[in-house]
């Protein structure tokens, strides 16, 4: 279910000059903010939790997921170059799985690693806050990558829809409306962080069993449906 050639081409597309600038900019900004906050406020567990939850998990992780997930396949569909890939003797599920693995890897590296670094800068991992939000970022990276890879497969406006989900649904409705919180990847990831961090520093509106089921369902469901859409695209091209 993994093809090295497809992976290499996907990495090259994701880490091209334009996308690489955006991918590096967000983690760099997080680290710079962490350094500034530590310099002005000192080591403060509550401040560390607020910054990692409010910026790293709520903003940086989904935005990087949008870039990596949609960028793994969307541009190839838009410019028609996907036809050349589909003409190769590579199974369609293998193409989707390979691109998903690459998108997950890129999202994890550019979100979870800087989250861990920023957490140690802010309070030296006091109350396990840095590790808790790193775990949340790792888990969220998987679900976001699958979700946004699906968007890149089914829509030419995947980036727009991804940004709407990440910035409006997750950050706005997902933090204010109780019902929407249940359908928020951010809240699912926070349920894991809540178990790792010290009591009172991380709160999730979704219980861990429910969050685990929803994370698995979204990841598997989005990946399977993306494979079906790619298979239909192949049949349409052959006809």
């Amino acid at each position: 279910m993994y093809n090295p050639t497809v992976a290499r081409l996907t990495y090259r597309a994701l880490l091209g000059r334009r996308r690489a600038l955006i991918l590096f900019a967000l983690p760099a900004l997080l680290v710079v903010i962490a350094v500034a906050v530590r310099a002005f406020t000192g080591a403060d567990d509550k401040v560390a939790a607020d910054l990692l939850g409010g910026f790293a998990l709520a903003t940086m992780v989904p935005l990087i997921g949008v870039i990596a997930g949609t960028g793994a396949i969307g541009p190839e569909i838009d410019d028609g170059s996907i036809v050349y890939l589909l003409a190769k003797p590579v199974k369609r599920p293998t193409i989707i799985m390979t691109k998903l693995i690459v998108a997950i890897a890129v999202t994890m590296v550019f979100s979870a690693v800087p989250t861990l670094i920023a957490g140690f800068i802010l309070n030296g991992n006091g109350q396990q806050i840095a590790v808790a939000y790193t775990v949340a970022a790792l888990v969220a990276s998987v679900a976001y990558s699958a979700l946004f890879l699906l968007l890149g497969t089914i829509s030419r406006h995947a980036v727009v829809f991804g940004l709407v989900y990440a910035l409006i649904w997750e950050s706005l409705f997902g933090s204010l409306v109780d019902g929407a919180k249940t359908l928020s990847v951010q809240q699912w990831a926070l349920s894991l962080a809540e178990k790792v961090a010290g009591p009172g520093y991380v709160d999730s509106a979704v219980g861990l069993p429910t969050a685990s089921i929803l994370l698995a369902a979204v990841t598997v469901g989005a990946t399977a449906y993306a494979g079906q859409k790619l298979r239909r695209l192949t049949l349409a091209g052959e006809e």
Side-chain angles (χ1 to χ4, degrees):
M1 299 299 288
Y2 180 84
N3 185 280
T5 302
V6 175
R8 185 174 65 254
L9 294 173
T10 307
Y11 276 118
R12 185 180 302 171
L14 286 178
L15 300 178
R17 183 177 302 176
R18 184 178 302 176
R19 287 191 179 87
L21 288 175
I22 302 175
L23 288 172
F24 279 104
L26 289 170
L29 179 59
L30 173 63
V31 173
V32 169
I33 293 175
V35 171
V37 170
R38 178 61 185 267
F40 284 107
T41 67
D44 188 308
D45 296 338
K46 187 64 170 64
V47 171
D50 289 343
L51 179 58
L52 294 181
F55 181 77
L57 188 61
T59 303
M60 184 184 71
V61 179
L63 287 180
I64 291 177
V66 169
I67 297 169
T70 61
I73 196 169
E76 291 177 296
I77 294 178
D78 290 342
D79 62 20
S81 60
I82 189 70
V83 174
Y84 299 99
L85 179 59
L86 297 179
K88 303 297 181 181
V90 182
K91 294 181 180 180
R92 306 313 179 246
T94 299
I95 294 174
I96 289 295
M97 281 301 302
T98 301
K99 288 183 175 294
L100 176 61
I101 291 170
V102 172
I104 291 173
V106 170
T107 306
M108 284 182 172
V109 168
F110 285 94
S111 60
V113 173
T115 297
L116 182 63
I117 294 172
F120 272 95
I121 292 173
L122 287 165
N123 73 334
N125 194 38
Q127 300 294 328
Q128 293 292 307
I129 290 173
V131 172
Y133 277 103
T134 300
V135 170
L138 289 170
V139 172
S141 295
V142 178
Y144 281 133
S145 296
L147 183 61
F148 297 135
L149 179 66
L150 171 61
L151 283 178
T153 306
I154 65 178
S155 174
R156 291 181 177 272
H157 306 289
V159 174
V160 175
F161 290 132
L163 291 175
V164 168
Y165 176 83
L167 298 179
I168 297 180
W169 181 266
E170 289 268 318
S171 298
L172 184 59
F173 289 102
S175 60
L176 299 177
V177 182
D178 289 337
K181 292 179 179 180
T182 306
L183 301 177
S184 169
V185 174
Q186 177 188 339
Q187 292 295 324
W188 304 341
L190 280 174
S191 68
L192 293 172
E194 187 178 14
K195 295 297 181 181
V196 177
Y201 290 98
V202 182
D203 294 314
S204 174
V206 184
L208 183 57
T210 301
S212 301
I213 293 172
L214 290 173
L215 281 167
V218 166
T219 302
V220 174
T223 304
Y225 189 56
Q228 289 295 322
K229 294 297 293 184
L230 191 63
R231 185 175 292 111
R232 293 174 188 172
L233 178 65
T234 305
L235 292 175
E238 291 174 349
E239 292 174 355

